[in-house]
Amino acid sequence: MFKKFKAATVQTAPVFLDVEKTIAKAIIFIKEASNNGAQLIAFPEVFIAGYPYWNWIMTPVQGSQWYEKLYKAAVKMEDEVMQPLFQAAKDYNIHIVIGLNERGDSFGEIYNTNIIIDNQGKLIGKHRKLVPTWAEKLTWTSGDGSSLKVYDTEVGPLGTLACGENTNTLARFTLLAQGELVHIANYISLPVAPPDYNMAEAIKIRAAAHSFEGKLFTIVSCSTISEEIKEALREDVPNVDEVLTRKNSAFSGFIGPNGAVIGEPLIDEEGIIYADIDLSKCIQPKQMHDILGHYNRFDIFDLRVNTAPTRKITFINDHDEFNKK
């Protein structure tokens, strides 16, 4: 119950729209984290293998060709190209939470998905982003409640949400109610936010809110925008440097059960950082505010969550039903 472990979080850019090279890059970080004693490593949102920035800086018609490129770079868990990632978790005895573009069953369908791999190299869970944020609706299909789960791991009860859905109070409470003590919140750098919006600060506020309310540890991993990404988009967006360059666009770090940042976070810079996690630190803060226990009124409040997977079609044979009568 009172687990102690070292965690790592990564702030970097993928190899844009190249799954194989991005996984190879991830494995370099995984090896480094393991060699430094980490038992858990977090990677950014849709790290495999890129974010649809064109939704924000091009018209939908211009961005359509990029949507096709992204779909071709989307993956399923059983794809051969994914296997080195699972093997790395086993080889380096480390848990991995990483974002990816997941191919759906419908041709052309993409989900924004976080996967959880245990230290035996097994896929133990995945979470599909419930609601794509703003311009992201041009790319991703919405997930459903079946992936709002907390997973029992050797480092503790672990859950994850992607980017803006860490603002969704009911989604966060659903994870807390399942006993979550380690939360992975992953993001992308978003320089195209409104001028008065400090993305790094907003990420920190969301993480602190979840940790303070739930009395748990939040690990934040955010991507960066590489020169390679900007160069790829330059032909369609000549002023890409202007629109995709801005300070305070990325925050990665660790938040404790008291809502305070642990150590020094990464702001905009690429790298990997570590923190020692002691789950027993989640106990004392609950004496004041336990929103899952004494500091709530479940006789007044009733949250119901539909965890059934979405069914796209139901077949009914009316003739057979008639014959049974």
Side-chain angles (χ1 to χ4, degrees):
M1 291 177 61
F2 314 120
K3 300 180 186 295
K4 296 181 181 180
F5 64 95
K6 179 179 281 189
T9 189
V10 175
Q11 183 158 283
T12 191
V15 181
F16 196 46
L17 303 184
D18 191 317
V19 174
E20 187 173 2
K21 289 183 179 179
T22 297
I23 289 177
K25 182 175 183 176
I27 291 173
I28 293 172
F29 282 107
I30 290 165
K31 180 180 180 181
E32 179 181 341
S34 177
N35 288 342
N36 284 316
Q39 293 177 260
L40 168 67
I41 185 169
F43 285 93
E45 178 185 20
V46 290
F47 188 64
I48 304 171
Y51 179 83
Y53 282 104
W54 52 87
N55 286 352
W56 301 87
I57 60 177
M58 300 180 195
T59 69
V61 174
Q62 287 176 309
S64 184
Q65 62 173 323
W66 287 96
Y67 176 86
E68 182 174 341
K69 292 177 183 179
L70 185 68
Y71 178 73
K72 290 177 178 177
V75 296
K76 280 186 173 289
M77 304 310 111
E78 61 270 20
D79 287 353
E80 186 64 29
V81 72
M82 291 290 293
Q83 301 318 303
L85 185 65
F86 295 110
Q87 188 63 43
K90 182 177 181 180
D91 290 344
Y92 296 109
N93 189 32
I94 192 169
H95 299 74
I96 301 168
V97 180
I98 190 168
L100 51 81
N101 289 281
E102 180 191 5
R103 286 198 321 274
D105 294 327
S106 174
F107 199 64
E109 181 181 51
I110 315 173
Y111 292 94
N112 177 330
T113 301
N114 285 341
I115 62 171
I116 302 100
I117 307 170
D118 71 9
N119 59 335
Q120 300 302 309
K122 296 179 180 178
L123 177 71
I124 60 172
K126 66 178 183 179
H127 169 68
R128 290 173 168 174
K129 192 171 187 176
L130 298 176
V131 182
T133 305
W134 204 350
E136 293 174 356
K137 292 178 175 67
L138 291 167
T139 292
W140 292 312
T141 298
S142 296
D144 58 42
S146 67
S147 70
L148 273 177
K149 292 182 179 180
V150 171
Y151 300 91
D152 187 23
T153 73
E154 288 189 11
V155 296
L158 187 151
T160 182
L161 294 172
C163 201
E165 62 182 352
N166 285 283
T167 310
N168 189 321
T169 303
L170 302 185
R172 293 192 296 104
F173 188 84
T174 300
L175 297 182
L176 294 176
Q178 296 175 67
E180 183 187 47
L181 293 178
V182 181
H183 181 74
I184 310 297
N186 56 7
Y187 290 81
I188 49 88
S189 175
L190 192 64
V192 295
D196 60 347
Y197 190 82
N198 185 320
M199 181 67 173
E201 185 66 16
I203 292 172
K204 185 180 75 172
I205 289 170
R206 278 187 279 242
H210 190 58
S211 279
F212 186 81
E213 289 173 3
K215 315 306 180 192
L216 80 170
F217 288 90
T218 296
I219 302 170
V220 181
S221 176
C222 187
S223 65
T224 58
I225 300 177
S226 63
E227 289 301 318
E228 176 211 12
I229 293 173
K230 289 188 284 188
E231 189 59 38
L233 300 171
R234 191 179 308 280
E235 183 176 347
D236 292 305
V237 185
N239 65 333
V240 66
D241 291 299
E242 177 185 343
V243 297
L244 290 184
T245 301
R246 180 178 171 186
K247 291 182 178 180
N248 296 318
S249 293
F251 172 100
S252 294
F254 305 88
I255 311 291
N258 60 354
V261 176
I262 301 170
E264 290 295 324
L266 291 170
I267 307 269
D268 295 336
E269 296 181 2
E270 295 205 349
I272 181 171
I273 54 175
Y274 301 88
D276 292 317
I277 306 296
D278 180 358
L279 295 189
S280 67
K281 299 294 184 182
C282 300
I283 299 172
Q284 275 194 342
K286 287 215 172 187
Q287 187 174 20
M288 182 175 293
H289 304 122
D290 182 5
I291 62 173
L292 301 173
H294 68 82
Y295 208 73
N296 218 321
R297 289 289 304 275
F298 296 111
D299 56 327
I300 299 174
F301 304 113
D302 180 13
L303 173 62
R304 301 185 183 190
V305 182
N306 180 7
T307 60
T310 298
R311 298 179 64 176
K312 296 181 179 179
I313 189 169
T314 301
F315 291 98
I316 300 174
N317 190 323
D318 291 330
H319 183 70
D320 285 350
E321 291 297 320
F322 179 80
N323 289 337
K324 290 177 183 179
K325 296 180 179 178

